[in-house]
C-alpha cells in the first residue's frame, strides 16, 4: 500500500503541477490570463471572451477561424512545454534516459493544457449554443476545427524534436567509443578537466519521480539515472535546449514576418489568436534566452530593459511615436508655450472674423430650412457618445432611422455634430452617406447595408499589428506626399475603417469645408484631450477660434485660463487642413493602450488621446457653440433641440460596493475611473441649466439611449458579435426609442 501511495504521490504529471505552483509563477500568469479571458472573469466589459469563444476570420465564424485559434493554442502549449523543459528539465534526470525525452516530457506536462482545453470546449459550446444560437452540427464542426488546428501545430513541432533531440544512449555509446580510442594516462589537473560552462546547472536536489506517462494510455516506472555521469545527463539536456531555442527563434522570426503581410486580409487572423501568439512569443523569447545565458537571464532582462528605456527616452532615433497622417513633421514646428496660450484669449478680432464666417453658414442653414410661411425652424445639435463599435453602430442606426422617419428633416436641421470615439465615427459616416446621396455619387442604399459596413470588425487587424509589429520592430513605412510615416496599429485601424466603410471616410479634413459652408451637411467638432496639460484640441473644417475664448464677461475680473486650442490654425504651417479625416477620427477615439497616443508636430511635442477623457458626450462643445451664437439663435430659430445618442444609461443608480479587502483598497482609484462619465453628466446638466437662461425659446433635450441591461449587455470593443449587432439594430423598435423618436418628430414639426 505504501508503495502504491508513493507511486501516486510521485507521479510525474502531479510533480510537474506542484513544480508550476512552487517555481513557475511567471508562467502561471499567462495561463491565468487565458483562463480569465475564456471564462469571462477578466476584461468582462470589453468583450474579450467573445474573441476567444467565437473567433472571427474574414468576417466569418467557422471551422477555419477555430482552426487558426487552435493552431495558436498549439503554439502556446509548445512554448509552455519548452519553457518548463528548459528551465526545470534538469530536476528530473530520468527523462534523459528515455527515448524522445522532450516528447515524453510534453506528455507528462499536459495537465494544465488539458484542463484549459476542457474548460474552453465547455465554455465555447455553451456560448455558441446560448448566445449565438448555433446548431449542434455547426458547434461540433467549430470544436473539431479548434482541435484540428491544435493537433496540426503540435504534430509539426514534435516531429522536429523527435528527429533532432537525442537521449542519453546516443551520448553514452559515443563516450564509450571515445574511451576505447583514448591513449595514455588520464590527466587529472583542473586545467584539463572538462568544465564547459554551458553544461553547468544549478546544484539542486533532483525531484523524486516514481511513475510517469509513457504515452496518454500507459503508465511506466521511472528508472534511476544515478549510474550515469552527471555531465552526460547535462549533455542531453543542453542539446535538447539548443534545438528548442533554434525552433523558438524560427517561430519568433516567422511570427514577425507574418506581420509584414498583415495588410492582406488573409493574414488578419482572429484577435484571440494574435493574443495567444503574442504570449507564445514572449515565453519563447524568455526560454530561448535562458537556454543561452542560464542563471544570468534576470540580469540580462534588467539590463536590456534599462538600455531600451534609455534609448526611447534619450535617443530620438528610437522614439516610437505615432503620427497624424497628412501633417508635416519635417521643417518648422508649431511653438506651444506660455506666450501662445496667454494670447488665445486676446485674439478678439480673429474670433469675430471666424464668427462672421459661421454666421454665414447659419444664414444658409436658415434659408434651407425656412418654409414659404416664414416659420422659424428648430436648430438641432447632435451629440454622440464614445463607446467603440457599439456607439458607432448605435449612432448610425438611430440617426438614419430618425432621419428617414422625419423625411430628411433631422439632418437638414442639424447644425453641429460633436462627441467622442465610436459615436463620432458613426455620426461622420452618416454625414458622408447623406452628402454622397445628395450629390448622387452613390446610389441610395437600404439602412441595413450601412449597418453591416460600420459594424464590421476593427479589432483583428489592430491586435495583429500590436502583436507582430508594435511590440517588436516597426520596420514598415508608407508615404503621404513627401512625409514618411510608420505602419503600426493606428495605420491598421484607419486602413480597416476605410475598407469597412467602402472608402467613404477616405478624405482630408479640408474636403468638408465647402459642403459645411454651403450648409449641405452639419459642421463637426472633434475634441481629443491633450495629454501634456489636459486641454482640448478642437478639430474642425471651419476656423472656430471663438470657441477657444475664455475671457471674463460683464464686470467680472479674473485671469481665466485658455482651455481649448484650435487645431486648424495652430498647425496651419504643418498642413492642418491636409490631415486625413480618418486620423482626426482616430485622434478622437484613442482609447488608452488599444490605440497609440498621437504625437503632433509641435515644440514641445503634444500628445493627444480619446476625447472621452474630457467630454465623452460632446456636451461641452455644444454648449460653447450655443453660447457663442445665442443672439442669432434667439432671433432666427424657434428653439433648440439637443439630440443625444448615448450608449450608456443616464438614469444610473449607485450599486452596493463589494466589502472585500481588495475592493476597499482599489475603491479610491476605481471610483475616479469608473465614474468619469457620470461626473461629466452631473456637470453638463448643471451647465445646461445655467445656459438655458440665455435663450428665449425652448431648449429640448431628446435622448436616443442604448440601454445596457445585464441580460443583453454590449461589450465596449472594436468588435461586435452577431447577437450584439442584433441587439443594437433592433433597439429602434423598442418603446423607449419610439417614445424619444415621436418627441423629436413633434418638435421638428412644431
Amino acid at each position: 500500500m505504501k508503495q502504491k501511495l508513493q507511486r501516486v504521490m510521485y507521479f510525474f504529471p502531479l510533480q510537474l503541477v506542484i513544480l508550476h505552483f512552487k517555481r513557475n509563477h511567471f508562467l502561471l500568469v499567462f495561463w491565468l490570463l487565458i483562463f480569465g479571458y475564456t471564462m469571462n472573469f477578466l476584461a468582462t466589459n470589453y468583450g474579450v471572451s467573445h474573441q476567444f469563444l467565437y473567433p472571427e476570420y474574414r468576417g466569418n465564424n467557422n471551422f477555419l477561424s477555430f482552426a487558426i485559434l487552435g493552431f495558436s493554442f498549439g503554439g502556446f502549449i509548445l512554448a509552455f512545454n519548452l519553457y518548463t523543459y528548459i528551465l526545470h528539465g534538469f530536476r528530473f534526470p530520468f527523462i534523459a534516459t528515455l527515448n524522445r525525452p522532450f516528447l515524453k516530457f510534453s506528455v507528462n506536462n499536459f495537465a494544465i493544457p488539458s484542463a484549459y482545453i476542457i474548460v474552453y470546449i465547455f465554455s465555447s459550446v455553451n456560448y455558441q449554443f446560448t448566445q449565438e444560437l448555433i446548431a449542434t452540427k455547426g458547434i461540433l464542426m467549430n470544436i473539431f476545427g479548434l482541435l484540428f488546428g491544435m493537433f496540426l501545430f503540435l504534430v509539426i513541432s514534435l516531429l522536429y524534436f523527435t528527429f533532432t533531440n537525442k537521449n542519453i544512449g546516443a551520448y553514452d555509446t559515443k563516450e564509450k567509443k571515445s574511451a576505447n580510442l583514448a591513449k595514455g594516462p588520464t590527466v587529472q589537473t583542473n586545467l584539463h578537466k572538462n568544465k564547459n560552462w554551458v553544461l553547468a546547472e544549478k546544484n539542486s536536489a533532483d525531484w523524486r519521480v516514481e511513475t510517469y506517462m509513457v504515452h496518454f494510455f500507459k503508465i511506466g516506472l521511472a528508472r534511476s539515472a544515478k549510474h550515469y555521469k552527471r555531465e552526460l545527463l547535462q549533455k542531453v539536456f543542453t542539446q535538447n535546449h539548443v534545438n528548442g531555442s533554434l525552433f523558438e527563434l524560427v517561430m519568433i522570426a516567422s511570427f514577425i514576418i507574418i506581420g509584414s503581410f498583415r495588410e492582406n486580409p488573409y493574414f488578419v487572423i482572429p484577435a484571440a489568436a494574435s493574443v495567444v501568439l503574442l504570449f507564445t512569443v514572449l515565453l519563447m523569447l524568455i526560454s530561448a534566452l535562458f537556454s543561452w545565458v542560464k542563471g544570468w537571464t534576470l540580469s540580462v532582462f534588467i539590463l536590456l530593459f534599462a538600455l531600451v528605456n534609455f534609448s526611447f527616452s534619450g535617443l530620438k532615433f528610437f522614439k516610437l511615436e505615432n503620427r497624424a497622417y497628412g501633417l508635416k513633421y519635417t521643417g518648422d514646428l508649431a511653438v506651444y508655450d506660455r506666450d501662445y496660450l496667454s494670447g488665445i484669449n486676446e485674439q478678439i478680432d480673429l474670433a469675430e472674423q471666424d464668427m462672421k464666417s459661421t454666421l454665414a453658414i447659419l444664414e444658409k442653414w436658415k434659408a434651407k430650412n425656412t418654409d414659404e410661411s416664414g416659420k422659424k425652424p428648430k436648430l438641432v445639435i447632435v451629440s454622440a457618445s464614445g463607446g467603440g463599435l457599439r456607439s458607432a453602430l448605435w449612432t448610425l442606426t438611430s440617426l438614419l432611422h430618425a432621419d428617414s422617419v422625419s423625411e430628411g428633416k433631422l439632418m437638414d436641421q442639424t447644425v453641429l455634430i460633436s462627441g467622442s470615439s465610436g459615436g463620432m465615427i458613426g455620426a461622420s459616416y452618416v454625414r458622408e452617406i447623406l452628402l454622397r446621396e445628395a450629390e448622387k455619387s452613390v446610389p441610395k442604399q437600404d439602412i441595413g447595408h450601412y449597418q453591416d459596413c460600420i459594424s464590421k470588425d476593427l479589432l483583428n487587424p489592430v491586435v495583429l499589428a500590436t502583436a507582430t509589429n508594435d511590440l517588436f520592430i516597426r520596420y514598415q513605412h508608407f508615404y503621404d506626399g513627401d512625409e514618411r510615416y510608420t505602419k503600426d496599429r493606428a495605420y491598421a485601424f484607419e486602413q480597416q475603417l476605410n475598407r469597412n466603410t467602402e472608402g467613404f471616410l477616405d478624405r482630408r479634413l479640408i474636403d468638408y469645408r465647402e459642403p459645411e459652408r454651403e450648409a449641405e451637411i452639419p459642421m463637426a467638432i472633434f475634441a481629443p484631450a491633450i495629454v501634456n496639460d489636459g486641454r482640448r484640441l478642437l478639430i474642425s473644417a471651419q476656423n472656430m477660434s471663438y470657441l477657444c475664448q475664455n475671457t471674463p464677461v460683464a464686470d467680472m475680473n479674473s485671469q481665466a485660463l485658455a482651455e481649448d486650442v484650435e487645431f486648424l490654425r495652430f498647425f496651419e504651417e504643418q498642413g492642418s487642413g491636409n490631415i486625413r479625416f480618418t486620423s482626426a477620427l482616430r485622434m478622437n477615439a484613442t482609447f488608452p493602450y488599444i490605440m497609440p497616443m498621437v504625437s503632433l508636430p509641435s515644440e514641445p511635442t503634444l500628445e493627444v488621446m480619446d476625447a472621452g477623457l474630457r467630454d465623452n458626450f460632446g456636451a461641452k462643445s455644444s454648449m460653447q457653440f450655443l453660447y457663442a451664437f445665442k443672439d442669432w439663435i434667439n432671433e432666427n430659430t424657434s428653439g433648440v433641440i439637443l439630440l443625444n445618442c448615448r450608449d450608456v444609461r443616464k438614469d444610473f443608480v449607485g450599486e452596493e460596493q463589494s466589502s472585500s479587502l481588495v475592493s476597499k483598497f482599489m475603491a479610491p482609484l476605481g471610483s475616479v475611473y469608473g465614474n468619469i462619465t457620470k461626473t461629466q453628466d452631473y456637470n453638463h446638466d448643471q451647465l445646461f441649466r445655467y445656459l438655458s437662461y440665455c435663450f428665449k425659446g425652448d431648449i429640448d433635450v431628446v435622448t436616443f439611449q442604448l440601454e445596457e441591461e445585464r441580460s443583453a449587455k454590449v461589450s465596449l470593443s472594436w468588435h461586435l458579435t452577431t447577437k450584439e449587432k442584433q441587439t443594437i439594430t433592433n433597439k429602434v423598435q423598442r418603446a423607449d426609442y419610439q417614445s424619444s423618436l415621436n418627441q423629436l418628430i413633434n418638435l421638428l414639426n412644431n
Side-chain angles (χ1 to χ4, degrees), residues 350-368 379 415 516-519 523 542-544 546 625-637:
L350 206 59
E352 291 179 353
Q353 175 186 323
D354 292 347
M355 285 191 71
K356 288 180 181 179
S357 298
T358 305
L359 283 170
I361 296 174
L362 292 174
E363 289 293 342
K364 291 180 180 179
W365 170 88
K366 177 185 174 182
K368 176 182 177 181
L379 183 145
V415 167
E516 290 182 5
R517 283 182 174 177
E518 297 301 319
M523 292 176 282
Q542 308 300 323
N543 287 116
M544 294 184 173
Y546 51 83
F625 186 87
L626 287 173
Y627 181 79
F629 296 100
K630 59 184 182 299
D631 295 335
W632 188 93
I633 293 172
N634 283 330
E635 184 178 346
N636 296 278
T637 73

Side-chain angles (χ1 to χ4, degrees), residues 566-584:
E566 185 191 6
F567 171 81
L568 200 61
R569 192 167 271 120
F570 181 65
F571 290 105
E572 186 174 6
E573 296 298 321
Q574 290 73 38
S576 53
N578 194 54
I579 186 176
R580 289 188 181 182
F581 189 66
T582 49
S583 288

Side-chain angles (χ1 to χ4, degrees), residues 297-592:
T297 302
L298 180 59
S299 299
V300 170
F301 262 110
I302 294 174
L303 179 61
L304 287 175
F305 179 81
L307 289 174
V308 170
N309 184 63
F310 170 77
S311 299
F312 277 74
S313 60
L315 302 177
K316 188 174 182 180
F317 175 79
F318 287 97
K319 286 186 178 180
L320 298 179
E321 59 180 22
N322 176 263
R323 297 178 172 183
Y325 310 138
L327 289 183
K328 296 178 183 178
Y329 286 79
T330 54
D332 295 336
L333 302 176
V335 179
Y336 188 80
D337 56 14
R338 291 182 182 274
D339 291 338
Y340 169 77
L341 293 172
S342 61
I344 291 178
N345 286 335
E346 299 173 3
Q347 297 174 342
I348 306 299
D349 294 340
L350 206 59
E352 291 179 353
Q353 175 186 323
D354 292 347
M355 285 191 71
K356 288 180 181 179
S357 298
T358 305
L359 283 170
I361 296 174
L362 292 174
E363 289 293 342
K364 291 180 180 179
W365 170 88
K366 177 185 174 182
K368 176 182 177 181
N369 290 285
T370 303
D371 57 23
E372 296 178 356
S373 65
K375 178 183 175 182
K376 294 180 180 180
K378 291 277 191 181
L379 183 145
V380 180
I381 292 181
V382 172
S383 298
S385 76
L389 213 52
R390 72 184 181 196
S391 285
L393 178 57
W394 171 238
T395 301
L396 176 135
T397 300
S398 58
L399 289 181
L400 284 183
H401 184 80
D403 190 61
S404 176
V405 173
S406 67
E407 298 179 343
K409 283 188 176 182
L410 171 59
M411 296 309 295
D412 281 345
Q413 292 183 218
T414 299
V415 167
L416 179 71
I417 299 174
S418 64
S420 70
S421 193
M424 281 302 285
I425 292 177
S428 298
Y429 190 34
V430 169
R431 193 175 70 148
E432 180 65 31
I433 290 168
L434 297 177
L435 176 61
R436 295 197 180 213
E437 289 182 351
E439 296 174 345
K440 297 183 179 179
S441 59
V442 295
K444 192 174 182 64
Q445 297 274 10
D446 181 78
I447 185 176
H449 172 76
Y450 296 118
Q451 287 173 327
D452 290 340
C453 290
I454 197 64
S455 61
K456 288 180 180 177
D457 173 76
L458 284 169
L459 187 63
N460 286 353
V462 171
V463 176
L464 178 64
T466 303
T468 60
N469 181 78
D470 289 17
L471 297 180
F472 295 96
I473 305 173
R474 302 184 183 186
Y475 54 91
Q476 291 183 306
H477 301 86
F478 74 99
Y479 283 88
D480 188 307
D482 295 330
E483 290 294 317
R484 183 173 181 259
Y485 305 94
T486 301
K487 290 184 178 181
D488 54 13
R489 63 188 185 276
Y491 174 80
F493 178 87
E494 290 192 30
Q495 291 295 100
Q496 190 63 45
L497 179 60
N498 278 326
R499 283 192 289 267
N500 291 355
T501 56
E502 304 172 302
F504 276 32
L505 299 174
D506 189 13
R507 289 182 180 263
R508 306 286 175 171
L509 180 64
I510 202 67
D511 292 338
Y512 289 105
R513 174 167 289 184
E514 285 305 313
E516 290 182 5
R517 283 182 174 177
E518 297 301 319
E520 296 175 6
I521 56 174
M523 292 176 282
I525 298 177
F526 306 94
I530 299 175
V531 176
N532 306 55
D533 56 19
R535 288 182 167 88
R536 300 193 310 157
L537 186 67
L538 300 187
I539 304 175
S540 175
Q542 308 300 323
N543 287 116
M544 294 184 173
S545 60
Y546 51 83
L547 295 184
C548 303
Q549 293 292 304
N550 197 24
T551 52
V553 296
D555 297 327
M556 180 178 178
N557 296 311
S558 69
Q559 294 181 341
L561 293 174
E563 178 186 0
D564 300 312
V565 177
E566 185 191 6
F567 171 81
L568 200 61
R569 192 167 271 120
F570 181 65
F571 290 105
E572 186 174 6
E573 296 298 321
Q574 290 73 38
S576 53
N578 194 54
I579 186 176
R580 289 188 181 182
F581 189 66
T582 49
S583 288
L585 290 172
R586 172 170 60 84
M587 290 163 66
N588 205 53
T590 306
F591 193 83

Side-chain angles (χ1 to χ4, degrees), residues 57-58 260-269 464 499:
Y57 174 66
R58 300 194 68 227
S260 303
F261 301 95
R262 62 183 182 275
E263 292 181 54
N264 187 321
Y266 288 96
F267 285 87
V268 181
I269 61 178
L464 178 64
R499 283 192 289 267

Side-chain angles (χ1 to χ4, degrees), residues 695-731:
F695 293 90
K696 297 177 183 178
D698 294 333
I699 298 181
D700 295 283
V701 179
V702 180
T703 302
F704 290 158
Q705 181 171 273
L706 177 64
E707 292 182 343
E708 287 199 355
E709 300 173 355
R710 292 188 180 276
S711 59
K713 191 172 184 179
V714 181
S715 56
L716 174 59
S717 175
W718 291 118
H719 177 91
L720 295 173
T721 67
T722 302
K723 186 175 181 180
E724 288 174 334
K725 294 176 186 178
Q726 292 174 348
T727 298
I728 296 171
T729 55
N730 292 338
K731 171 65 178 176

